Amino acid sequence: MADAPSIADALDTVRRRIAKAERLAGRAPGSVVLTCVSKTQAPERIDQALAAGQRVFGENRVQEAEGRWAERDRTDLTLRMIGPLQSNKASAAVALFDAIETVDRPSLAKALAEAIQTQGRAPELLVQVNTGEEPQKAGVAPADLDGFIDALRKDYGLGPAGLMCIPPVEEEPAMHFALLRRMADRNGLSVLSMGMSDDYLTAIRFGATHVRVGSAIFGARPAA
Ligand SMILES: *Cc1c(COP(=O)(O)O)cnc(C)c1O
């Protein structure tokens, strides 16, 4: 087996591909944020990404992220929560994360609103949309989205910044990205977190402002 590229080299490749996709889509250079998905990675591997200049990281579990990031100097880092969030972890998530991409139900919105109020800290909030309407997947159903966003604004005093989706593995992601974009536009939202290792270039064509890339940087994750 050929040696895997170093994390620095892999990051460089992903960044160059993003820059090219921005150009081809007529997007401003640097308009797409690369969220480096560091879930399950060993600390030395995260050190390598940091040494290569990466500053935005995505995690999918609050406790794991606390263990990994709470002790580090986070002054110029951005941590984004991209996994399902239990309401009883909302307070810890507000304390740790700069963005929470997985707001998807009133009970969680309520818990987040309370934590934001108490802590005086307001992470950027995205609503996760279950664009494929998959029963096992988190996220608001497309038909319920506009009502949910209204409720966030009116009932909870939360101003969501945008939307996030994880398309079904079996389907063409482009139609899901296009749908997410339309739903964001009609709700006046500017942040679009969509695209992972296999489809981030497509997502950029469809207007992604944030792409979440793990295995293209770190290599395949060990099976859970
Ligand atoms: C793990 C994960 C990613 C990264 O997936 P890769 O295919 O390894 O790039 C992106 N988004 C979410 C929500 C994830 O859980």
Side-chain angles (χ1 to χ4, degrees):
M1 211 169 77
D3 282 353
S6 74
I7 289 166
D9 286 348
L11 258 172
D12 188 55
T13 301
V14 171
R15 288 190 190 123
R16 278 188 290 105
R17 287 183 177 152
I18 289 174
K20 184 174 177 192
E22 285 172 340
R23 280 198 306 280
L24 291 173
R27 312 268 309 270
S31 56
V32 177
V33 175
L34 170 60
T35 298
C36 172
V37 177
S38 48
K39 64 183 184 193
T40 77
Q41 300 298 334
E44 316 80 75
R45 297 170 64 75
I46 293 171
D47 289 340
Q48 290 176 44
L50 286 163
Q54 181 63 28
R55 291 295 177 266
V56 182
F57 291 88
E59 291 283 347
N60 69 339
R61 289 168 191 267
V62 176
Q63 259 161 329
E64 186 188 331
E66 275 175 340
R68 183 163 309 130
W69 293 103
E71 301 300 310
R72 288 182 185 259
D73 175 11
R74 288 190 281 129
T75 27
D76 65 341
L77 294 186
T78 301
L79 292 186
R80 305 184 67 88
M81 173 60 177
I82 61 172
L85 182 56
Q86 291 170 266
S87 298
N88 64 8
K89 303 252 171 67
S91 174
V94 166
L96 181 69
F97 288 101
D98 303 291
I100 297 172
E101 301 200 359
T102 50
V103 184
D104 67 351
R105 57 196 192 279
S107 56
L108 177 59
K110 182 167 182 283
L112 288 170
E114 284 167 7
I116 288 166
Q117 186 78 39
T118 311
Q119 298 178 30
R121 210 185 122 75
E124 177 181 278
L125 300 179
L126 307 192
V127 175
Q128 182 175 355
V129 185
N130 187 356
T131 56
E133 304 187 54
E134 297 172 279
Q136 82 285 7
K137 206 169 261 177
V140 180
D144 299 335
L145 178 68
D146 295 6
F148 183 64
I149 288 173
D150 259 11
L152 287 180
R153 290 171 173 155
K154 294 191 186 121
D155 301 346
Y156 302 104
L158 298 174
L163 304 179
M164 176 270 217
C165 76
I166 309 170
V169 264
E170 309 293 323
E171 289 179 25
E172 173 55 52
M175 66 182 187
H176 294 273
F177 298 152
L179 173 63
L180 200 72
R181 166 87 184 262
R182 276 203 306 281
M183 293 188 294
D185 285 350
R186 79 172 180 242
N187 284 287
L189 302 173
S190 57
V191 175
L192 278 174
S193 172
M194 53 191 199
M196 317 197 336
S197 289
D198 288 339
D199 53 21
Y200 64 97
L201 299 177
T202 306
I204 293 169
R205 274 215 319 277
F206 283 86
T209 61
H210 292 67
V211 292
R212 308 179 307 268
V213 179
S215 41
I217 296 168
F218 292 112
R221 279 179 298 277

